[in-house]
Amino acid sequence: MRPALLALVVQLAAAALALGLLNVLSMQAAWWWPLQALLAASLSILARQPRWWWLIHLLFVPTLVLALQWGLSPWWYLLLFVLALLLFGRVDRSRVPLYLSNQAALQALEQVLPQGARLLDLGAGTGTVLRYLVRRKDLQLAGVEHACLPYWLAKLRLAGSGSALKLWRGDLMRTPLAEYDAVYAFLSPAAMPALWEKARREMRSGSLLISNTFTIPGQPADQVIELNDWKGARLYLWRMP
């Protein structure tokens, strides 16, 4: 079941259970939303969703109750939805939010890239990685981003970078990887198994798959670089057989 659909099922089931408990225990209606929130978080745990879903389920209905008390215009909800869609794209399908690579990651990435390498930034975001590396004249750079707003921000930031850099908007998991010497990704835990299978099918022997922060389940990295930042992040490198 897709995460978004599972989340909907969890919320609806929690709502029904909370109503049932109110009737059985003869509780006041005001107790419905705290019960629903606790039940939703509990069902999310039982469904083995990632921990960040637990917090979303816990806060979802309380946030709605608070928003209703504020009396906000419905147009605000539409505006926030459109903004989220522009910023993150169809994150319900890709399960890849917007992460930005920090300076430590950029410096470490530059060090591991061999001279003349062809690099693909898979999920280029606002172009931070490409903008940093474009000063390396020996690199051939490419990036793909699926979300609309980050893509256009990246286009603006990278304007005038020359023919050695290409950026386009597209589906990350449908982007061919065979022509690149290195592929850099800062995606999410949910996307890593599919990325690994894609890399094994498409990437050439000796090429590098580089992941910021997120590992591949059951596949130890050939090299791990500590970034020594406040998050304790790392770069994970796999060399294709």
Side-chain angles (χ1 to χ4, degrees):
M1 187 181 295
R2 290 185 178 274
L5 179 57
L6 179 57
L8 176 62
V9 171
V10 165
Q11 285 291 324
L12 292 176
L17 287 172
L19 286 173
L21 283 173
L22 287 182
N23 291 327
V24 170
L25 301 176
S26 300
M27 299 172 68
Q28 294 182 355
W31 283 100
W32 177 81
W33 66 265
L35 273 176
Q36 195 278 347
L38 291 173
L39 287 168
S42 301
L43 290 174
S44 179
I45 294 171
L46 291 174
R48 298 182 179 180
Q49 289 189 291
R51 291 187 178 184
W52 53 276
W53 271 112
W54 306 354
L55 184 62
I56 291 175
H57 284 296
L58 182 66
L59 297 180
F60 182 71
V61 166
T63 303
L64 288 180
V65 172
L66 183 62
L68 289 172
Q69 290 178 348
W70 285 344
L72 295 175
S73 168
W75 288 104
W76 281 106
Y77 299 104
L78 178 60
L79 178 62
L80 290 173
F81 172 77
V82 172
L83 180 61
L85 187 62
L86 291 174
L87 186 58
F88 300 112
R90 290 299 305 272
V91 71
D92 59 310
R93 292 182 178 178
S94 67
R95 294 183 286 176
V96 177
L98 177 63
Y99 291 114
L100 301 179
S101 299
N102 61 21
Q103 190 71 16
L106 299 177
Q107 292 173 353
L109 179 61
E110 182 182 13
Q111 293 299 315
V112 301
L113 291 175
Q115 187 174 8
R118 291 168 294 180
L119 171 74
L120 172 66
D121 186 359
L122 196 63
T126 59
T128 300
V129 171
L130 298 176
R131 191 167 183 261
Y132 178 85
L133 293 176
V134 74
R135 61 191 180 85
R136 280 269 306 264
K137 302 302 182 183
D138 59 317
L139 296 177
Q140 298 180 50
L141 302 171
V144 57
E145 172 57 42
H146 76 286
C148 185
L149 186 56
Y151 167 74
W152 284 110
L153 286 174
K155 289 285 285 187
L156 288 173
R157 296 179 74 193
L158 297 169
S161 296
S163 59
L165 190 153
K166 298 178 181 178
L167 177 69
W168 65 94
R169 185 165 175 248
D171 188 331
L172 310 184
M173 293 302 175
R174 293 184 179 178
T175 301
L177 308 180
E179 64 182 279
Y180 301 101
D181 303 304
V183 173
Y184 174 77
F186 192 5
L187 302 182
S188 73
M192 294 308 293
L195 175 60
W196 175 244
E197 292 303 317
K198 178 177 175 63
R200 289 180 61 189
R201 289 194 307 269
E202 300 180 16
M203 293 183 70
R204 294 178 289 102
S205 177
S207 57
L208 281 175
L209 175 63
I210 307 168
S211 173
N212 188 330
T213 303
F214 304 115
T215 61
I216 297 169
Q219 188 62 41
D222 296 310
Q223 183 181 354
V224 179
I225 301 175
E226 298 284 349
L227 299 181
N228 298 314
D229 60 4
W230 64 272
K231 298 180 295 184
R234 301 169 176 172
L235 286 189
Y236 297 91
L237 288 74
W238 293 266
R239 191 168 295 278
M240 294 296 106

